Amino acid sequence: MSVITLTSDIGLQDYLVGAIKGQLWQHCPGAPVMDITHQISPFNLPQATYICKSSFSYYPPRTFHIVLINLFDRKVDHVLLAEHNGQYIACADNGLITMIAGGTPAKVIKLPLHKTQPRDTFSILQRFAEAYRELQNGKSLTELGEPASGYIIKNNLQPMTGQDYIDGQIIHIDNFENVVVNITRQQFDEHRQNRPFSIYFRRDEVITQLCETYADVPEGHKLALFNAAGYLEIAINKGNAAGLFGLQGFTRDQLTSGYQKLSFYQTVRIIFG
């Protein structure tokens, strides 16, 4: 059977994650269920996008990814199921599907929710489980529902660029309080063009070289590198960069209000030349 993955902003403080897995095993007996994370910041689509894009690519074809993020941003009567890069992504109609895919997925269908059931996490999960079973029984995606039209489209959070600079935003702070910025190695190389560079954050903090590992600097020293997912990371060897420098992640409100509310606690600027 194909793998099912779970990603959510539910956290691990109460019964929900256990109950979700129990419901999946009732509806999909024998299905392997893998956690990606349940620690996404509430409603944080840019962070969810980073986590999903960085992890989904390691799974085999036909993996069924269930993403329970911001399920009730509005009153819902359907959810989305998409096919992207040979895998399936099931999520709410909240713009996340296009952010993860980096555009419009090859195929997207709407799965209508059952009219007689309450609009809650478990009714949504049951709908996803039904779709998973049908796919396992040999049905194609287009046999499960009508092609989606008019679903919400949102663009992934991109850095602002100029001829001599890139302004990135903090999209994730990991368990070690390393800070992940939405600047990829490809974007960095394209703008750098072999020029010297300076990475600025928190006004007076600057880094002028890239490391390959945390051990490239002495303990307690700051560094910058591109992590395994290909994104710029600000860290301290054996330290907590976010806490020490007072850095903060991008928030849900800023996704809708643009960059006006960004502060120097949330931005990283690279200047070339």
Side-chain angles (χ1 to χ4, degrees), residues 25-215:
W25 283 322
Q26 282 192 53
H27 290 285
C28 310
V33 179
M34 310 291 293
D35 293 308
I36 290 180
T37 184
H38 298 287
Q39 304 285 15
I40 301 293
S41 301
F43 319 116
N44 194 325
L45 298 188
Q47 185 188 32
T49 300
Y50 165 71
I51 295 294
C52 291
K53 284 173 66 91
S54 300
S55 58
F56 287 0
S57 61
Y58 289 94
Y59 283 84
R62 297 185 60 82
T63 297
F64 195 92
H65 301 287
I66 297 177
V67 186
L68 305 175
I69 305 288
N70 198 19
L71 294 180
F72 305 106
D73 190 47
R74 63 200 68 215
K75 191 172 183 178
V76 297
D77 60 5
H78 68 274
V79 287
L80 299 180
L81 179 59
E83 185 175 344
H84 178 64
N85 289 341
Q87 302 181 357
Y88 300 104
I89 304 172
C91 65
D93 186 356
N94 57 15
L96 185 58
I97 193 70
T98 52
M99 294 176 70
I100 294 173
T104 305
K107 299 176 183 177
V108 186
I109 64 168
K110 287 185 178 181
L111 297 174
L113 298 179
H114 299 300
K115 295 181 179 179
T116 58
Q117 292 186 347
R119 298 296 188 259
D120 60 21
T121 300
F122 297 106
S123 63
I124 289 175
L125 194 71
Q126 180 179 338
R127 197 67 186 89
F128 290 150
E130 291 169 355
Y132 172 83
R133 286 203 314 269
E134 291 180 291
L135 290 170
Q136 295 302 299
N137 290 331
K139 287 190 176 181
S140 65
L141 186 69
T142 53
E143 293 180 277
L144 306 187
E146 295 183 358
S149 61
Y151 61 91
I152 296 172
I153 294 175
K154 290 183 179 177
N155 295 320
N156 200 6
L157 186 66
Q158 294 294 324
M160 299 179 67
T161 62
Q163 183 177 356
D164 299 319
Y165 73 91
I166 304 177
D167 278 348
Q169 294 78 46
I170 296 169
I171 54 173
H172 180 62
I173 297 173
D174 70 16
N175 191 52
F176 299 96
E177 295 199 26
N178 302 320
V179 173
V180 180
V181 184
N182 69 330
I183 299 174
T184 65
R185 181 183 291 274
Q186 180 180 352
Q187 291 168 328
F188 175 83
D189 290 340
E190 287 176 353
H191 284 81
R192 182 186 180 186
Q193 298 177 352
N194 295 319
R195 293 177 292 179
F197 64 90
S198 299
I199 302 172
Y200 291 92
F201 55 100
R202 273 303 305 267
R203 290 180 178 168
D204 54 348
E205 297 292 339
V206 61
I207 297 173
T208 58
Q209 62 181 1
L210 291 173
C211 294
E212 292 185 357
T213 71
Y214 304 110

